[in-house]
Amino acid sequence: DGASTSAAPSALDRLTADTNPMTAVLDFGDALRDEPVERIVARLPALLRVKDLHELSAIVFLCLSGSRAEDRPRLAEAINGSIASTDDSARLLAIAYGAFAAGRARPHPFNDAGQAARINDVFGALKRRTAALDVPVAEGSPWYEFFTAYRLGGAAPGNNP
């Protein structure tokens, strides 16, 4: 019918036109709730290239903790893909802050093993990318704190008896 064609733009469409990072984050939260995940995943690589690094952290946080539980694996996969193609250590750190905050968000009192695994995967991708870029991750750096928190420090994976 004609009413649907004159409807207000969707949250995802508004997001691409937003110039205010705070409004963009609010619209992204609405999009995660209202839009099909396929549309969000298709636009996520561009959204993860936003100029404002605080906005980037908030987008990652919302993907990993404010989205529908069934959509989170696809969103995390898209974030990991973005990490692999990012050369800017400041952008990687913004992603890390968003993922770290999502890992600390507990909407319910029980640990969600799937959620923990997705966030661990994001930090694993960050660890590989920072290593490939020779980003300093020594003690005293934020990376050291993140990688220590996620047990990605000195021990090589798979050394369990």
Side-chain angles (χ1 to χ4, degrees), residues 58-98:
I59 288 170
V60 169
F61 172 80
L62 288 172
C63 282
L64 296 174
S65 69
S67 58
R68 294 177 291 254
E70 63 271 18
D71 295 345
R72 288 182 190 150
R74 295 209 35 217
L75 296 168
E77 184 179 311
I79 290 167
N80 290 347
S82 180
I83 289 167
S85 64
T86 299
D87 293 333
D88 180 346
S89 62
R91 298 188 74 68
L92 294 171
L93 192 57
I95 292 169
Y97 277 109

Side-chain angles (χ1 to χ4, degrees), residues 136-154:
V137 296
E139 192 167 352
S141 75
W143 291 114
Y144 179 84
E145 299 301 326
F146 286 133
F147 295 152
T148 300
Y150 285 92
R151 294 178 181 87
L152 297 171

Side-chain angles (χ1 to χ4, degrees), residues 15-126:
L15 178 60
T16 58
D18 282 330
T19 57
N20 179 330
M22 191 165 103
T23 306
V25 167
L26 293 172
D27 283 337
F28 188 69
D30 290 345
L32 286 172
R33 186 184 61 244
D34 301 336
E35 302 275 344
V37 70
E38 294 78 19
R39 287 193 74 214
I40 296 166
V41 168
R43 294 202 193 171
L44 198 53
L47 294 173
L48 293 173
R49 288 190 299 269
V50 295
K51 289 179 185 158
D52 186 292
L53 297 181
H54 297 103
E55 181 180 348
L56 174 57
S57 292
I59 288 170
V60 169
F61 172 80
L62 288 172
C63 282
L64 296 174
S65 69
S67 58
R68 294 177 291 254
E70 63 271 18
D71 295 345
R72 288 182 190 150
R74 295 209 35 217
L75 296 168
E77 184 179 311
I79 290 167
N80 290 347
S82 180
I83 289 167
S85 64
T86 299
D87 293 333
D88 180 346
S89 62
R91 298 188 74 68
L92 294 171
L93 192 57
I95 292 169
Y97 277 109
F100 184 74
R104 297 299 173 255
R106 298 277 182 235
H108 49 78
F110 303 105
N111 286 336
D112 177 342
Q115 175 74 341
R118 279 186 292 281
I119 291 170
N120 284 340
D121 286 348
V122 169
F123 275 98
L126 286 164

